Amino acid sequence: MPKKRYLTATMPDGYVKTIGPTATPFTHYWRIVAELENGRTEVFWGHAKSLREATGKRAATKEAAAQRGWRSYRFEIAELTETMG
């Protein structure tokens, strides 16, 4: 049975996200911070099993921004590191 572990990502703005316990081999955390037309902010996030998988979310983000009418958005990726649970 795979070992369960906690994974932590630190974003450029200092936000820290911890996921787990998980046995899934996630390597990266991605986050979209979207500014809506009404001035509000929405955050979407997830984790991926490779940098390539996480980077692939960027194209879908561009489509979502156009569909939903976001004023602007930031797409960010951070590497996950194993931490104590």
Side-chain angles (χ1 to χ4, degrees), residues 3 11-13 18 24 28-29 39-40 44 47 51 85:
K3 177 182 152 194
M11 303 309 287
D13 64 1
T18 300
T24 307
H28 290 80
Y29 169 81
R40 294 184 127 172
F44 305 90
H47 24 273
L51 177 58

Side-chain angles (χ1 to χ4, degrees), residues 16-33:
V16 176
K17 174 69 176 178
T18 300
I19 61 170
T22 183
T24 307
F26 294 122
T27 60
H28 290 80
Y29 169 81
W30 56 268
R31 176 176 75 171
I32 302 162
V33 180

Side-chain angles (χ1 to χ4, degrees), residues 29-74:
Y29 169 81
W30 56 268
R31 176 176 75 171
I32 302 162
V33 180
E35 184 184 342
L36 310 180
E37 283 298 322
N38 64 8
R40 294 184 127 172
T41 301
E42 242 179 79
V43 178
F44 305 90
W45 61 271
H47 24 273
K49 294 179 185 175
S50 69
L51 177 58
R52 183 178 182 167
E53 181 185 339
T55 305
K57 305 290 182 190
R58 193 180 309 270
T61 300
K62 192 173 185 176
E63 290 174 24
Q67 272 183 345
R68 297 174 184 213
W70 295 343
R71 256 190 228 167
S72 65
Y73 67 89
R74 284 190 331 268

Side-chain angles (χ1 to χ4, degrees), residues 3-7 19-27 81-83 85:
K3 177 182 152 194
K4 299 233 180 211
R5 53 200 188 123
Y6 288 85
L7 303 169
I19 61 170
T22 183
T24 307
F26 294 122
T27 60
T81 56
E82 191 167 346
T83 55

